[in-house]
Amino acid sequence: MPCVADWLNSPLSIVQGIFAQNGPSPDWEKKVTEYFTEKLKENNATNWVPSLNDVPLHYLKPNSLVKFRCMVQDMFDPEFYMGVYETIDPHTKTRVLHFGKYRDVAEYGPQQEMDLNSSQMVTSERQTFYCVPVPGESAWVKEAYLSASQARVSPSTSYTPSRHKRSYEEDEDMELHPSKQKEQHMGNIDDIHGCGEPKRLETEASAGHQLISPNCSPPLDLNFPLPGEKGPACLVKVYERWDSFKVNDTLEVYGILSVDPVLSIVNNEERENASPLDPMECMDTVEEQRVHSPPASLVPRIHVILAQKLQHINPLLPACLNEEESKSFVSSFMMELSPLRAELLGFLTHALLGDSLAAEYLILHLISTVYARRDVLPLGKFTVNLSGCPRNSIFTEHIYRIIQQLVPASYRLQMTIENMNRSRFIPHKDYTANRLVSGVLQLASNTSLVIDETLLEQGQLDTTGVHNVTALGNLITWQKVDYDFSYHQMEFPCNINVLITSEGRSLLPSDCQVHLQPQIIPPNMEEYMNSLLTAVLPSMLNKFRIYLSLLRLLDYSISDEVTKAVEEDFVEMRKNDPESTTADDLHRTLLVARFLSLSAGQTTLSRERWLRAKQLEALRKARLQQQNCVSGNEL
């Protein structure tokens, strides 16, 4: 049986063995998937696989098994490839069958020729996803995945340690001048369509360099949704069930890493051969080719053997909560929930300057999630507007830093006039390059978005600014973003937790406004907030992280008996105060009761929790009325 090193370092040799045993029968593909599925089920086997999230590309061996935790940023058109092809030796007339799956280029010996008319040839289809690291992924998430990894890697012989420091222009220059090492690669590799002699490719690539070197292409835009993001972007080639994945899904993929330099050489040759007489052809080969076939050293390819949607990206939780081992983890954790909630409430109360009511609502907000949709209405969203925040203060920045330490993915959007007018919030389709250009609101499910409105000054919003504010309003109200496809808009549903910090009532809609009432004013805010994070034990911080992620995933229900009692209670409330008790109040109180129950580890609504929810709402409203009397603003 193959050892660990074989299936990790040389997965294609495993595939070759299975293909050789089963011949052209389609069963071989299923057996490959089954083989790697079983291998990855072995104890901690997934931790042996190097991750592109943790390991620099030049440390990974080409054609080895890798994994990648990512979000689908764009989906390219399906592509055809030779699933099975046949070669013939012109001297001995020996025929050999090869597989093309999990490869970018067809491989065969120097004494072999491809028989394009072979009856054994099989043309197959695969889907390419453009994937990026999960936007806004927290540093503690990256560190936890890295510390759990048992992958053994060393600098690959195909890359020098300094490669990752090269600019795009230097990379392109290197790849247009094939080195001796690349000539060795090309001695037995040809283009997957069987066209082109390796020596000819080398010659034309060198000639092409002379033509394009005076006008180097601009640096490649890796199309990350959030500014300042780092990490690899990958072209992920999916061979089966790609219909089950969609844009913005969070995936973990296991597949074969392809960084063959010949890919860039072939692409540059195609660009060079584009006819200048046909502008449309030029456009495709220069713009679209550049985006869809970037240098493999910058955007590697992963040929997927196994892929799964992630329920969450919290490394402290089991990946799938439905398995038996996971159920025991959940049940043991739920037993210590009550003291843990009290600890978290105390921690957030200190962070919110002694305001325990605001801390209660922040917990409810952090465990909220869209659990269903009724027509266009998203159920379970709980956008909180934390008003009363000091203007232009570092307070909101530190609140965000604390949230960042608690949730797996987050982003702080500074709502300034300049950001509103200049930032690209809404993804749009670039038809010239045939790609979806990302925007700030292209986020993975359950990302925490903190909108800091305390930085907003007087000024004029231009057309872009108005569209961006509208997009934020739609995100909050409907949990959807309308992507711009020029000739039409396409709705993309989302599940983003939005917290708005503001001085007065926010300009944006929200489900619940909580006015901050600080009980303490620290003389040095920065020192105070930093001491909070250093005071909490790392083990307790990890429990907070598990608590907030786990409670989002629990099921919840209301019994018929409690439903009837709630209805009767609401009718009574309307009788006593018809002016201020509306259907919106009932909906909000039910939401508060839902998350209050879940925060205590209860998956059904009890009479006690319902009364506590009413009490919290009464306190919140009383505080708002008191503030409005002071400020003279309308509720």
Side-chain angles (χ1 to χ4, degrees):
M1 287 297 290
C3 65
V4 172
D6 288 336
W7 67 268
L8 279 177
N9 295 329
S10 306
L12 285 176
S13 64
I14 304 293
V15 178
Q16 175 61 48
I18 295 172
F19 177 75
Q21 287 174 7
N22 295 273
S25 162
D27 286 349
W28 75 271
E29 298 179 67
K30 185 180 175 186
K31 287 182 179 178
V32 167
T33 306
E34 288 172 354
Y35 174 88
F36 284 96
T37 302
E38 288 305 311
K39 282 293 175 189
L40 289 168
K41 279 182 183 173
E42 292 176 8
N43 191 30
N44 288 331
T46 54
N47 292 335
W48 304 339
V49 182
S51 170
L52 270 171
N53 301 92
D54 310 330
V55 184
L57 186 58
H58 64 276
Y59 272 68
L60 294 170
K61 182 184 172 188
N63 296 322
S64 63
L65 189 72
V66 296
K67 63 183 177 183
F68 187 37
R69 187 178 63 260
C70 56
M71 184 188 82
V72 180
Q73 190 277 319
D74 195 4
M75 301 172 76
F76 293 163
D77 295 330
E79 61 184 31
F80 292 102
Y81 71 99
M82 288 188 293
V84 177
Y85 58 96
E86 191 173 37
T87 58
I88 184 169
D89 188 318
H91 303 296
T92 63
K93 302 300 180 188
T94 306
R95 289 179 171 270
V96 181
L97 277 180
H98 305 262
F99 66 91
K101 194 174 184 179
Y102 311 122
R103 285 178 169 150
D104 284 301
V105 289
E107 297 191 11
Y108 47 87
Q111 302 304 317
Q112 294 176 314
E113 292 178 359
M114 188 181 293
D115 183 1
L116 295 173
N117 298 314
S118 169
S119 60
Q120 301 273 31
M121 184 178 282
V122 177
T123 302
S124 303
E125 189 180 18
R126 62 189 174 199
Q127 176 71 55
T128 302
F129 296 156
Y130 187 86
C131 294
V132 297
V134 179
E137 189 177 70
S138 299
W140 64 266
V141 172
K142 296 183 193 332
E143 288 162 12
Y145 276 116
L146 180 58
S147 63
S149 174
Q150 297 172 22
R152 295 178 181 177
V153 292
S154 57
S156 164
T157 53
S158 298
Y159 289 90
T160 59
S162 62
R163 263 192 88 76
H164 68 295
K165 295 179 182 176
R166 295 184 187 281
S167 68
Y168 174 74
E169 288 86 350
E170 288 172 315
D171 254 311
E172 190 172 61
D173 183 70
M174 288 298 291
E175 290 173 21
L176 288 170
H177 280 293
S179 63
K180 290 180 182 178
Q181 162 200 325
K182 292 176 183 175
E183 287 173 16
Q184 290 167 3
H185 269 284
M186 293 169 60
N188 62 354
I189 298 177
D190 203 353
D191 177 36
I192 196 159
H193 298 294
C195 60
E197 178 76 16
K199 188 68 181 173
R200 180 177 70 80
L201 283 177
E202 179 199 344
T203 307
E204 293 195 3
S206 301
H209 170 71
Q210 298 298 323
L211 289 168
I212 69 167
S213 60
N215 298 302
C216 283
S217 301
L220 188 68
D221 176 12
L222 294 180
N223 213 12
F224 294 144
L226 299 179
E229 290 279 284
K230 293 178 182 176
C234 290
L235 290 178
V236 174
K237 314 253 181 180
V238 183
Y239 291 86
E240 44 195 50
R241 296 192 307 109
W242 60 72
D243 289 345
S244 61
F245 305 126
K246 58 186 184 297
V247 169
N248 302 336
D249 275 352
T250 307
L251 310 179
E252 185 165 57
V253 299
Y254 292 82
I256 296 168
L257 176 68
S258 174
V259 286
D260 207 308
V262 77
L263 290 172
S264 301
I265 297 166
V266 170
N267 293 338
N268 283 314
E269 182 203 37
E270 288 178 4
R271 284 186 211 166
E272 187 55 35
N273 288 341
S275 166
L277 300 175
D278 186 350
M280 285 307 291
E281 191 176 338
C282 283
M283 206 177 294
D284 289 342
T285 51
V286 175
E287 297 292 337
E288 188 170 347
Q289 186 75 31
R290 178 176 158 80
V291 167
H292 288 246
S293 302
S297 57
L298 289 179
V299 183
R301 282 66 163 160
I302 298 178
H303 293 269
V304 174
I305 296 176
L306 297 168
Q308 59 181 1
K309 273 189 201 177
L310 293 177
Q311 270 188 300
H312 60 84
I313 57 164
N314 189 334
L316 307 174
L317 270 180
C320 183
L321 296 176
N322 297 328
E323 296 171 0
E324 284 306 314
E325 290 177 22
S326 305
K327 286 177 182 175
S328 62
F329 170 88
V330 172
S331 58
S332 64
F333 186 82
M334 296 295 273
M335 291 175 71
E336 56 176 307
L337 214 60
S338 183
L340 185 58
R341 188 193 192 282
E343 284 279 351
L344 178 59
L345 182 62
F347 175 68
L348 292 177
T349 299
H350 284 298
L352 293 167
L353 308 179
D355 189 342
S356 59
L357 181 67
E360 282 275 11
Y361 275 92
L362 186 54
I363 290 177
L364 306 186
H365 162 76
L366 290 172
I367 64 170
S368 67
T369 187
V370 176
Y371 61 87
R373 289 180 187 267
R374 295 284 182 269
D375 296 323
V376 295
L377 190 67
L379 304 180
K381 75 181 181 72
F382 194 59
T383 298
V384 170
N385 170 207
L386 186 64
S387 59
C389 297
R391 186 172 182 76
N392 294 324
S393 163
I394 57 170
F395 170 75
T396 49
E397 183 184 336
H398 285 287
I399 288 297
Y400 172 66
R401 276 181 54 201
I402 284 170
I403 289 173
Q404 223 177 3
Q405 288 295 324
L406 297 174
V407 300
S410 60
Y411 181 64
R412 177 181 173 226
L413 178 60
Q414 299 180 51
M415 198 171 172
T416 63
I417 293 292
E418 185 180 13
N419 276 350
M420 292 283 99
N421 288 340
R422 291 189 181 180
S423 297
R424 190 174 65 216
F425 282 18
I426 305 166
H428 71 273
K429 181 76 172 182
D430 177 352
Y431 286 96
T432 304
N434 191 21
R435 74 163 175 178
L436 183 66
V437 179
S438 64
V440 169
L441 297 184
Q442 188 174 11
L443 300 170
S445 187
N446 287 322
T447 300
S448 286
L449 178 64
V450 178
I451 301 175
D452 188 353
E453 210 177 283
T454 63
L455 302 169
L456 195 60
E457 302 279 353
Q458 285 189 341
Q460 185 71 40
L461 288 176
D462 60 17
T463 307
T464 303
V466 171
H467 284 161
N468 284 339
V469 172
T470 303
L472 286 175
N474 285 337
L475 168 67
I476 292 165
T477 306
W478 308 111
Q479 283 293 312
K480 62 161 188 156
V481 180
D482 294 326
Y483 288 16
D484 181 7
F485 281 74
S486 293
Y487 310 107
H488 67 284
Q489 290 187 326
M490 190 177 290
E491 284 185 11
F492 281 75
C494 54
N495 186 3
I496 309 297
N497 283 34
V498 183
L499 174 69
I500 308 163
T501 58
S502 60
E503 188 183 19
R505 183 169 185 164
S506 173
L507 302 173
L508 296 167
S510 66
D511 297 302
C512 180
Q513 183 190 353
V514 181
H515 195 81
L516 187 70
Q517 280 190 351
Q519 303 302 305
I520 48 174
I521 307 294
N524 187 324
M525 184 74 74
E526 186 141 1
E527 202 174 282
Y528 175 81
M529 290 293 191
N530 287 338
S531 66
L532 261 181
L533 284 171
T534 51
V536 66
L537 292 171
S539 58
M540 184 57 71
L541 202 53
N542 281 340
K543 286 180 179 178
F544 292 165
R545 291 161 176 167
I546 295 170
Y547 174 90
L548 294 174
S549 293
L550 179 61
L551 297 185
R552 281 178 171 177
L553 301 169
L554 295 181
D555 290 326
Y556 173 85
S557 61
I558 305 178
S559 66
D560 292 341
E561 183 185 349
V562 173
T563 302
K564 187 178 179 183
V566 166
E567 285 174 355
E568 289 171 357
D569 203 0
F570 179 65
V571 170
E572 198 63 34
M573 288 161 64
R574 288 277 290 173
K575 280 181 187 174
N576 296 336
D577 191 359
E579 293 293 320
S580 60
T581 306
T582 64
D584 286 342
D585 290 312
L586 173 63
H587 177 69
R588 182 169 47 247
T589 311
L590 281 169
L591 266 183
V592 170
R594 176 191 181 92
F595 298 127
L596 206 54
S597 300
L598 289 173
S599 73
Q602 298 178 359
T603 55
T604 58
L605 179 60
S606 64
R607 177 75 180 164
E608 179 194 357
R609 295 292 162 194
W610 169 249
L611 294 175
R612 175 63 178 153
K614 282 173 60 181
Q615 183 188 17
L616 283 179
E617 277 294 277
L619 288 170
R620 184 187 67 82
K621 287 180 180 178
R623 184 182 288 189
L624 280 179
Q625 285 173 347
Q626 180 188 358
Q627 177 59 29
N628 289 333
C629 289
V630 172
S631 63
N633 289 335
E634 185 182 345
L635 179 62

